[in-house]
Amino acid sequence: MGNPEKPSDAVVGAEGEGATTEVESTKEKSTMTMEERKAKLDALRKKMHASSKANRQSLVEESARQKINAREAARLERQRALAETLRTKADAEERGEDIERAKNWEYTIEENDEWEKKLARKKRRADFEFHDDAHAARRRYKKDLDHLKPDLEAYNRQKEIALGLGPGSLITGFNPTQGASSSQLLPTSQQQQLAAENLYRDANTLIYGDNKPTEEAIDRVVGKINRDVDKKSKFSRKRNNEEEGDITYINEHNRVFNKKIARYYDKYTAEIRASFERGTAL
C-alpha cells in the first residue's frame, strides 16, 4: 500500500501543469510565422464582414416586411371602404332610393350649412385676378382672419369683471338666467363699471388708446409681419445680381454673354449706342 499524496503536493502539481501549458501555448504563438498571422487576421476580417452583411440583410428584410404590412393594411382598408360603399349603393337601388340623398341623412343641418359656406368661400377665393386695390385688400383681410386665434380666456375674464361674476363663471359654462339674478349681473363697483365701459364701448365713450397689449400679443404681431416680409421677398421678381438699367437679354445665359461682350466692346460702341438712343444715328 503506497503512501497517499499530500494536498499541498497535488496543488503544486496542478499549478505546475498549468504553467507548463501556458508556456507551451506562448511558444506556439511565438513560433507562428507572419504569413500565418496574416491569414488568421484575414479570416477574422472575413468573419466580421460576413456577420455585418448578414445583420444588414436581416435589417433590410425586416424593414421591407414592415412596409409591406403597412401597405397591405392600407390596401385592405381601401377595399373594405369600397365594398361598404358598393353594398350601401346596392341596398339603396333595391329600395328605390337615391344614394346621395341617403348619404346626406348622415349630416346635421349645421354641418350642411357649414359645408355650403365652405364651398361658397372656396368659390369666391378661386378668383385670383386683380380687380382693384380694395378687392386685393379684402382678400388679404379674409386670409388674415383665417389665421386669427382670439384669446377667449382673457375675454371671458374681462367679461366676468364687467358682469360682476365670480372668477371662472363663464369658462365653466355659467348660465346667468339660472345661477344669478339680474341685480347681481349689473356692475356694482367702480372697477366693474370701468370694465363694462372697456368691454362695451360705443360712440359716447371717452376712453381711447388705453389698451396695453401683452408680450405674447406683440410677439404674435411681429411674427406675422416677419412672415409677410419673408413671403413678399420670395415672390419678388428682382434678381439680386441684376444691375439697374435696360434689359438687353432674353435669358440668364444671354445676360452673361452680353455682360462679357460689354466688358470688351462697350468703350468702342458707346458713341453708336448714344446715337441710337438720341435717334440721330446714320
Side-chain angles (χ1 to χ4, degrees), residues 16-277:
E17 292 178 358
T20 304
T21 306
E22 291 179 359
V23 171
E24 290 178 356
S25 62
T26 305
K27 288 182 178 180
E28 290 178 358
K29 291 181 180 179
S30 61
T31 56
M32 290 178 62
T33 61
M34 185 61 66
E35 289 76 8
E36 293 176 350
R37 292 181 179 180
K38 187 176 180 180
K40 189 174 182 180
L41 181 61
D42 292 340
L44 291 175
R45 287 179 176 175
K46 289 180 180 179
K47 186 181 294 185
M48 183 179 65
H49 180 68
S51 177
S52 300
K53 187 176 181 180
N55 291 337
R56 181 171 181 80
Q57 184 67 23
S58 62
L59 181 63
V60 171
E61 292 177 357
E62 180 67 21
S63 178
R65 281 197 300 270
Q66 291 179 358
K67 290 182 180 179
I68 291 174
N69 292 336
R71 196 180 301 115
E72 186 69 18
R75 187 180 66 83
L76 293 177
E77 182 64 23
R78 288 195 300 269
Q79 289 182 354
R80 187 193 63 79
L82 179 60
E84 186 176 355
T85 303
L86 294 177
R87 185 184 63 183
T88 305
K89 185 176 181 180
D91 295 341
E93 290 178 354
E94 289 180 359
R95 294 191 300 267
E97 298 178 355
D98 187 5
I99 182 62
E100 295 296 333
R101 182 179 177 84
K103 187 183 296 184
N104 290 334
W105 281 106
E106 300 177 0
Y107 305 105
T108 61
I109 297 177
E110 291 78 8
E111 292 176 349
N112 185 56
D113 293 342
E114 187 66 25
W115 176 253
E116 290 180 355
K117 289 180 181 178
K118 184 177 180 180
L119 292 179
R121 183 168 60 251
K122 185 177 181 180
K123 185 178 180 180
R124 288 196 306 269
R125 293 186 178 181
D127 184 14
F128 295 102
E129 296 181 0
F130 178 80
H131 299 281
D132 51 14
D133 293 335
H135 182 264
R138 178 177 175 79
R139 284 177 55 86
R140 184 66 180 178
Y141 174 72
K142 290 295 185 181
K143 287 184 178 180
D144 292 341
L145 283 182
D146 293 340
H147 301 285
L148 180 63
K149 296 180 180 179
D151 190 359
L152 297 179
E153 294 184 1
Y155 171 74
N156 288 330
R157 286 195 298 267
Q158 187 178 5
K159 191 174 181 180
E160 288 168 358
I161 298 175
L163 297 178
L165 302 177
S169 300
L170 296 178
I171 299 176
T172 56
F174 176 75
N175 190 357
T177 60
Q178 297 179 1
S181 61
S182 59
S183 61
Q184 294 177 345
L185 298 179
L186 296 176
T188 57
S189 63
Q190 185 178 3
Q191 181 181 4
Q192 294 176 0
Q193 186 175 359
L194 291 176
E197 292 179 359
N198 289 330
L199 185 62
Y200 304 106
R201 297 186 181 184
D202 54 8
N204 299 322
T205 183
L206 300 178
I207 303 176
Y208 176 76
D210 60 336
N211 183 30
K212 185 178 180 180
T214 60
E215 294 294 333
E216 291 80 5
I218 295 175
D219 294 339
R220 187 165 60 249
V221 173
V222 172
K224 174 66 170 56
I225 294 175
N226 291 335
R227 286 194 301 270
D228 292 343
V229 172
D230 187 30
K231 186 180 295 185
K232 186 177 180 181
S233 63
K234 290 181 180 179
F235 279 101
S236 178
R237 295 294 182 181
K238 179 178 175 58
R239 274 69 173 179
N240 295 328
N241 58 350
E242 181 179 312
E243 298 179 358
E244 296 294 337
D246 297 334
I247 304 299
T248 60
Y249 53 87
I250 58 175
N251 51 34
E252 184 66 18
H253 181 72
N254 184 239
R255 184 187 71 83
V256 175
F257 179 77
N258 291 347
K259 189 175 181 180
K260 187 183 298 183
I261 292 296
R263 188 162 54 245
Y264 293 101
Y265 295 102
D266 267 4
K267 57 184 178 180
Y268 303 110
T269 60
E271 185 178 355
I272 298 175
R273 286 186 286 106
S275 298
F276 272 115
E277 291 177 0

